[in-house]
Amino acid sequence: MIKIQNVSKRFGDYEAIKSVSLSVNHGEIYGVIGASGAGKSTLLRLMNLLESPDHGEVIVNDDSLTRLKGRRIREARQSIAMIFQQYNLLGNKTVYDNVGVPLELSKVPRQEREDRVMESLQFVGLDHFKDQYPAQLSGGQKQRVAIARALVNQPKVLLCDEPTSSLDPNTTAEILTVLKRINENFGVTIVIVSHEMEVIKSICERVTVMANGEVYETVEIEPAGIQKIDRSAQGFVERLTHGGDHHA
Ligand SMILES: Nc1ncnc2c1ncn2[C@@H]1O[C@H](COP(=O)(O)OP(=O)(O)OP(=O)(O)O)[C@@H](O)[C@H]1O
């Protein structure tokens, strides 16, 4: 469960997030969509305090991240994993070592580390690539390694920042299938930021449309609800995406 309550964030004079409130249910796959500069990534980064808010409260899994301090905040943040558009793998480490990084940081003993890394790699179907380096992999494979790394600490929440935006449609579908399996098999709550309505529609239960640092609307995506999105939100999103309604 994630609760964002009246959260604001400024970068200098620019107000990137303007008193935003939203709530993601436990076990939900939730989308955030909007044009470039709408504040989607900033909102996502506020959910694990990669950005700290100027005002408001961020609650994840019943912990108020904005109130916790020291060790307690580090523990709370360990249950929140993140993946990125550009994968953020370490080029000088093998696939195996990349996936093991979070376990090394949290000082998990070697044998347990080995088991968990291999389990994670098997889950994304890349155990036989364990000795390769990121440069030897395709974009989809790199994202699957990043997903294995995100899973290795058994997170409750997975934040995805444009996870398929550098991938072709087939690879996009593969990655979305992996995310769906993570949600179904482990009950992980997933938040996906994307500018692609097709991605959001294919996997999310609800979507928040952001515009100019604010929530424009939040709608449900169910078989019967897709029409509602088509009428109310998608036109708006397309206008934003193609109309350059950006603050700059
Ligand atoms: N660290 C930062 N310093 C200064 N300005 C920032 C910083 N991070 C984001 N911004 C600005 O805040 C606004 C929102 O950025 P954000 O990345 O959240 O938007 P977005 O909707 O994710 O867009 P995109 O899809 O282009 O990434 C943008 O105008 C951006 O330039």
Side-chain angles (χ1 to χ4, degrees), residues 131-150:
D131 297 322
Q132 308 257 28
Y133 285 84
Q136 299 171 282
L137 306 178
S138 69
Q141 288 168 333
K142 284 183 203 164
Q143 192 59 291
R144 283 196 274 152
V145 174
I147 291 172
R149 180 181 57 186

Side-chain angles (χ1 to χ4, degrees), residues 11 14 16 34-43 51 162 193 246-247:
F11 295 110
Y14 180 65
S36 181
K40 308 179 295 295
S41 292
T42 305
L43 179 67
E51 299 288 358
E162 301 275 5
V193 159
H246 190 276
H247 69 92

Side-chain angles (χ1 to χ4, degrees), residues 16-159:
I17 298 290
K18 302 170 187 164
S19 196
V20 163
S21 296
L22 60 83
S23 172
V24 180
N25 298 326
H26 177 72
E28 185 172 22
I29 305 186
Y30 193 97
V32 178
I33 198 163
S36 181
K40 308 179 295 295
S41 292
T42 305
L43 179 67
L44 196 73
R45 293 161 67 83
L46 284 160
M47 292 181 188
N48 62 358
L49 292 202
L50 272 183
E51 299 288 358
S52 42
D54 300 324
H55 301 284
E57 191 166 11
V58 177
I59 300 168
V60 180
N61 304 321
D62 295 327
D63 289 319
S64 173
L65 298 188
T66 32
R67 287 178 198 212
L68 289 182
K69 303 239 180 314
R71 188 170 57 86
R72 298 244 4 244
I73 193 158
R74 280 196 298 280
E75 284 168 5
R77 289 179 73 197
Q78 266 195 8
S79 67
I80 312 169
M82 192 164 185
I83 59 170
F84 305 87
Q85 179 174 357
Q86 293 307 331
Y87 326 118
N88 292 11
L89 300 178
L90 300 167
N92 60 347
K93 284 187 185 281
T94 62
V95 163
Y96 180 94
D97 287 339
N98 265 282
V99 175
V101 164
L103 298 178
E104 253 181 69
L105 292 176
S106 48
K107 303 208 172 7
V108 171
R110 205 177 60 85
Q111 185 57 54
E112 185 184 343
R113 220 160 63 204
E114 210 170 300
D115 294 345
R116 279 164 63 179
V117 168
M118 288 316 292
E119 233 173 82
S120 249
L121 280 172
Q122 275 156 13
F123 184 83
V124 300
L126 287 181
D127 40 321
H128 49 297
F129 282 78
K130 72 182 176 60
D131 297 322
Q132 308 257 28
Y133 285 84
Q136 299 171 282
L137 306 178
S138 69
Q141 288 168 333
K142 284 183 203 164
Q143 192 59 291
R144 283 196 274 152
V145 174
I147 291 172
R149 180 181 57 186
L151 282 185
V152 82
N153 254 336
Q154 299 160 342
K156 295 191 177 130
V157 170
L158 177 60
L159 306 177

